[in-house]
Amino acid sequence: MTEDPTGPGAANAGARWLAEQLVAVTQDPGVADRVFALAGRKVGRAPRRPEEDPAGVVHGTHDDAARAALVVALADALGPGGGAALAARLADLYQHGDTAERRGVLRGLDALAARDALAPEVVAVGTELAADALRTNDQSLVAAAVGPFAAAHLDPHAWRHAVLKLVFMGVSLDAVAGLDDRTDAELARMARDFAAERRAAGRVVPDDVARLAPDVVTGPPSAADASDDSPTSTGRSA
């Protein structure tokens, strides 16, 4: 009888594999590249919170979490003085990885940022990698680039545009770490402008816009909106 690849037996096997590989990376950082690539096959690619995030975009997937743990193990192996080496390894894992592996690097930066102060070299490289992810149109990459690392290290301009990009892409702002702390008057203004453009185009204003600018009315355009844009209301004749 074939074991269910999504069942508890497979989950336990994946957990055992990960525990073994964390030890292996700590003992020999050179194995990290191979292990990083295998994580999806070994621990699975299912969402961590399937009921609220069925695609694993907002809260990540099991392989995201495994790769984040591997990044932490790699940092531990390289030690407190290994900031430059860690930055180089993370850049290499990201640049040579597929989308899932790139997410893993970004989630790993989040795990490191939540644990300790990061070496300047790691912050510099991490900021470059987050900026690269934010230039893509992949929802999972953009969501992975707005976690605790971004909350601590992205400059205000980049962070505001990242948040608004999530709204535009239809990704929940639950993905954003530090949203309440970092939302400011400028981001609220940008959200209002975004909402006004959507209404002028007769499009739905996403509910998350109200998290950035509470005075904005979300939802589909109303009859009043249509009237405001009509030729009569603006003094134009047909």
Side-chain angles (χ1 to χ4, degrees):
M1 181 176 180
T2 304
E3 183 178 70
D4 179 0
T6 63
N12 291 336
R16 287 194 298 271
W17 176 85
L18 178 59
E20 293 169 357
Q21 302 314 311
L22 292 174
V23 173
V25 170
T26 302
Q27 294 174 342
D28 179 9
V31 306
D33 293 24
R34 175 183 60 81
V35 174
F36 217 71
L38 287 172
R41 191 188 319 165
K42 295 296 186 178
V43 306
R45 301 176 177 87
R48 297 182 67 198
R49 303 185 190 178
E51 293 186 0
E52 60 186 280
D53 180 29
V57 170
V58 175
H59 300 293
T61 58
H62 288 298
D63 55 322
D64 287 352
R67 291 188 176 101
L70 290 167
V71 167
V72 172
L74 180 59
D76 288 342
L78 295 174
L86 177 60
R89 294 296 299 277
L90 293 179
D92 188 65
L93 286 169
Y94 183 94
Q95 298 296 347
H96 293 94
D98 61 16
T99 296
E101 290 165 43
R102 291 183 172 197
R103 285 199 318 266
V105 172
L106 296 170
R107 301 287 187 187
L109 285 165
D110 287 341
L112 293 175
R115 189 180 71 156
D116 297 309
L118 299 179
E121 299 94 337
V122 175
V123 172
V125 165
T127 302
E128 292 175 3
L129 301 183
D132 180 82
L134 292 170
R135 284 192 291 269
T136 74
N137 289 316
D138 186 291
Q139 292 181 334
S140 67
L141 270 178
V142 176
V146 291
F149 177 86
H153 299 292
L154 278 192
D155 67 71
H157 176 83
W159 186 85
R160 292 186 198 109
H161 281 273
V163 172
L164 205 58
K165 183 167 186 172
L166 284 177
V167 176
F168 179 81
M169 297 175 86
V171 177
S172 171
L173 291 185
D174 288 347
V176 183
L179 181 67
D180 293 339
D181 292 335
R182 289 203 64 175
T183 296
D184 57 10
E186 176 60 15
L187 180 55
R189 181 198 65 76
M190 292 166 64
R192 291 187 191 97
D193 289 349
F194 171 78
E197 291 171 2
R198 298 279 291 195
R199 290 209 177 279
R203 302 179 68 185
V204 172
V205 176
D207 289 341
D208 268 350
V209 173
R211 297 176 66 176
L212 309 176
D215 56 316
V216 170
V217 177
T218 62
S222 65
D225 294 323
S227 176
D228 288 343
D229 293 332
S230 70
T232 301
S233 67
T234 58
R236 296 189 302 269
S237 59

